[in-house]
Amino acid sequence: MLQFCISQNPDAPPFAFKATGIRVFSFEEALYHVYHYWRESVDDVLSDKMLTWVTDLGLTYLAARMKELVKIDSFADRMVGFLRLVDYFNADEINGLVADLNRWEARREWEQLKERGDYFLSRNEPAKALPLYRRALQLDENVPLLNNLAIAFMRIADYGEAVRYLARARTLEPANTALILHYAEAAILDAQFDKADAALRKAQEDQATQSDIPYLQGLMAFEQQDYPVALQYFEEANALDGSVPIYVYKMADTYLRMRQFEKALEILQRILKPDEAYYTKQAEIYAAYGNVPAAVRAIKQAISAGESAMLWVRLASYYRQDYDLDRANDAITRALSLDAENDTARLENARIKKGLGRTREYQAGLTDVLRGFKQRYREA
């Protein structure tokens, strides 16, 4: 049945959902998004920002009803009330969602926060996961939460904080070998080599997975710029378990640091089933020794293997380095269509606009990036 949109303003401003980066231009689109991505919409539904947007659409009567929904204590009742503001979903669709909403609400709040943090971590957006994990930690302290918080800090290269949280996790489960290895890795990356060495010795006593030990020993040598020793350890890890691609990629990184580009490319041939990660590493190597056209070809293959916003950002960056600014602009536009809130994409977009001589767009882009940093700082 044909259903007319209640918001008829063709110049309506979009509303951007923070978690997914999806922009909607009508109230019905917002309902559709919340229905299908309700976990990711928690912070946006009935927020002041959404109320302002609904008012700007000219739907003041809906904005008034939304203000009343804010007063409802039950999360599930608030969500269902929002979805029923207009006659968009039928009773069966709403009833099918109610059970999921009630189950989610029944879980402890820290679990809900962790689940949302895990979602951002899976999207490789650790800066968005951090405030959620921290809020969860205020409600409950446990090993999975501390571990994931540490991983988020490692993803933003704050290894000192990662070491601190993993140290706390180890006090809760001192015999957890996986935690010991995570702690060793974080300590290595934070240049706390004595702590890392002690942790590795402990892991060896506990008979940790064999290949993990030489890999981390290789990582320690790599971080201390002892590349020949690092290669020996990575080779040992690869010999013990050839199914772990990170060992091969780290050997490639080592040859890259040694400026032995051909060997870096050659070692990648050990990957029997090239995938997104393979082509991305290949592109990185080509770009490092100045063969940008080859890097472009490789990253295009990575996109074919598994499209993501970050891959399009890399393609845009390579095009920009090759002075092909029109194609760079097309690529970054695609990246932003996949993830409008991605700071790396927005920063690359600003660089491209500067290269194109579009100064106002360049300045506006930088302002948006800075605003996003400030917002996450306040949330943290």
Side-chain angles (χ1 to χ4, degrees):
M1 181 179 69
L2 183 64
Q3 193 172 33
F4 289 102
C5 178
I6 62 169
S7 44
Q8 295 292 320
N9 181 3
D11 299 319
F15 180 83
F17 285 90
K18 289 190 295 185
T20 61
I22 294 173
R23 296 189 299 170
V24 296
F25 292 83
S26 69
F27 191 74
E28 285 80 3
E29 287 178 289
L31 289 172
Y32 182 88
H33 182 283
V34 172
Y35 183 86
H36 290 280
Y37 302 99
W38 57 267
R39 289 182 183 84
E40 295 78 39
S41 303
V42 170
D43 289 334
D44 291 309
V45 175
L46 305 177
S47 66
D48 290 341
K49 182 180 176 183
M50 178 175 275
L51 285 167
T52 300
W53 175 69
V54 172
T55 302
D56 290 343
L57 290 178
L59 305 174
T60 53
Y61 65 99
L62 282 182
R65 292 175 63 187
M66 288 168 65
K67 288 180 182 178
E68 293 301 312
L69 291 175
V70 173
K71 302 174 184 178
I72 298 175
D73 291 332
S74 167
F75 163 76
D77 290 345
R78 286 197 306 273
M79 293 292 282
V80 170
F82 175 77
L83 294 171
R84 284 178 170 160
L85 282 172
V86 298
D87 189 16
Y88 185 72
F89 296 107
N90 62 43
D92 289 340
E93 289 172 316
I94 295 291
N95 292 335
L97 183 63
V98 167
D100 289 337
L101 293 173
N102 286 329
R103 277 194 296 270
W104 199 70
E105 185 171 16
R107 289 172 51 194
R108 287 179 292 179
E109 187 178 352
W110 77 264
E111 291 179 305
Q112 297 171 4
L113 289 165
K114 179 182 177 296
E115 182 179 282
R116 289 165 59 200
D118 291 348
Y119 168 80
F120 285 120
L121 204 59
S122 70
R123 285 166 53 95
N124 199 26
E125 297 183 80
K128 294 180 181 179
L130 282 170
L132 296 167
Y133 286 143
R134 282 174 156 170
R135 282 164 56 191
L137 200 58
Q138 292 174 350
L139 301 170
D140 188 76
E141 186 179 62
N142 59 74
V143 167
L145 185 52
L146 288 164
N147 180 73
N148 287 16
L149 178 57
I151 290 173
F153 274 116
M154 289 178 73
R155 296 271 182 90
I156 63 169
D158 191 341
Y159 304 116
E161 282 294 277
V163 169
R164 186 165 73 86
Y165 283 109
L166 286 167
R168 176 58 189 161
R170 288 184 64 190
T171 65
L172 299 179
E173 292 186 15
N176 187 323
T177 305
L179 274 181
I180 296 171
L181 294 173
H182 289 170
Y183 174 86
E185 183 176 7
I188 289 167
L189 294 172
D190 197 46
Q192 298 187 44
F193 300 120
D194 289 343
K195 289 183 178 180
D197 186 62
L200 288 176
R201 292 178 187 276
K202 170 64 176 170
Q204 284 177 310
E205 292 173 6
D206 295 344
Q207 297 181 329
T209 305
Q210 281 187 309
S211 62
D212 287 336
I213 301 298
Y215 167 71
L216 289 171
Q217 289 170 326
L219 184 63
M220 185 145 55
F222 180 88
E223 291 298 318
Q224 295 178 89
Q225 300 182 23
D226 191 347
Y227 301 127
V229 170
L231 280 172
Q232 291 175 11
Y233 278 123
F234 293 144
E235 284 282 11
E236 181 183 344
N238 184 242
L240 289 168
D241 188 351
S243 68
V244 182
I246 187 63
Y247 303 155
V248 174
Y249 294 139
K250 209 61 193 174
M251 280 189 271
D253 287 339
T254 307
Y255 281 121
L256 200 55
R257 288 281 186 91
M258 297 168 73
R259 312 294 293 175
Q260 297 183 29
F261 303 114
E262 294 301 328
K263 284 189 175 181
L265 288 170
E266 182 183 335
I267 206 74
L268 288 183
Q269 302 311 308
R270 295 191 187 183
I271 303 295
L272 299 179
K273 293 183 179 180
D275 56 7
E276 173 193 332
Y278 170 89
Y279 291 118
T280 302
K281 181 61 67 177
Q282 190 181 62
E284 183 183 331
I285 296 167
Y286 280 129
Y289 74 89
N291 191 346
V292 181
V296 167
R297 290 193 296 273
I299 209 67
K300 282 183 175 179
Q301 287 183 289
I303 290 171
S304 297
E307 184 182 45
S308 72
M310 288 306 299
L311 289 177
W312 281 102
V313 172
R314 279 181 178 259
L315 179 58
S317 175
Y318 293 148
Y319 275 137
R320 177 175 55 80
Q321 292 172 48
D322 206 31
Y323 304 102
D324 192 342
L325 294 176
D326 288 333
R327 284 181 174 164
N329 194 50
D330 290 342
I332 203 62
T333 299
R334 177 58 181 159
L336 289 167
S337 74
L338 293 171
D339 189 354
E341 300 299 310
N342 188 301
D343 286 329
T344 306
R346 293 197 293 185
L347 188 58
E348 181 60 34
N349 184 44
R351 293 191 185 104
I352 292 167
K353 295 302 186 286
K354 182 180 181 181
L356 288 167
R358 289 150 66 169
T359 307
R360 286 187 180 179
E361 291 179 66
Y362 162 67
Q363 292 173 338
L366 286 183
T367 300
D368 282 344
V369 173
L370 183 59
R371 188 182 296 117
F373 286 148
K374 288 181 178 178
Q375 178 63 30
R376 280 191 295 282
Y377 177 77
R378 286 193 292 268
E379 290 174 352

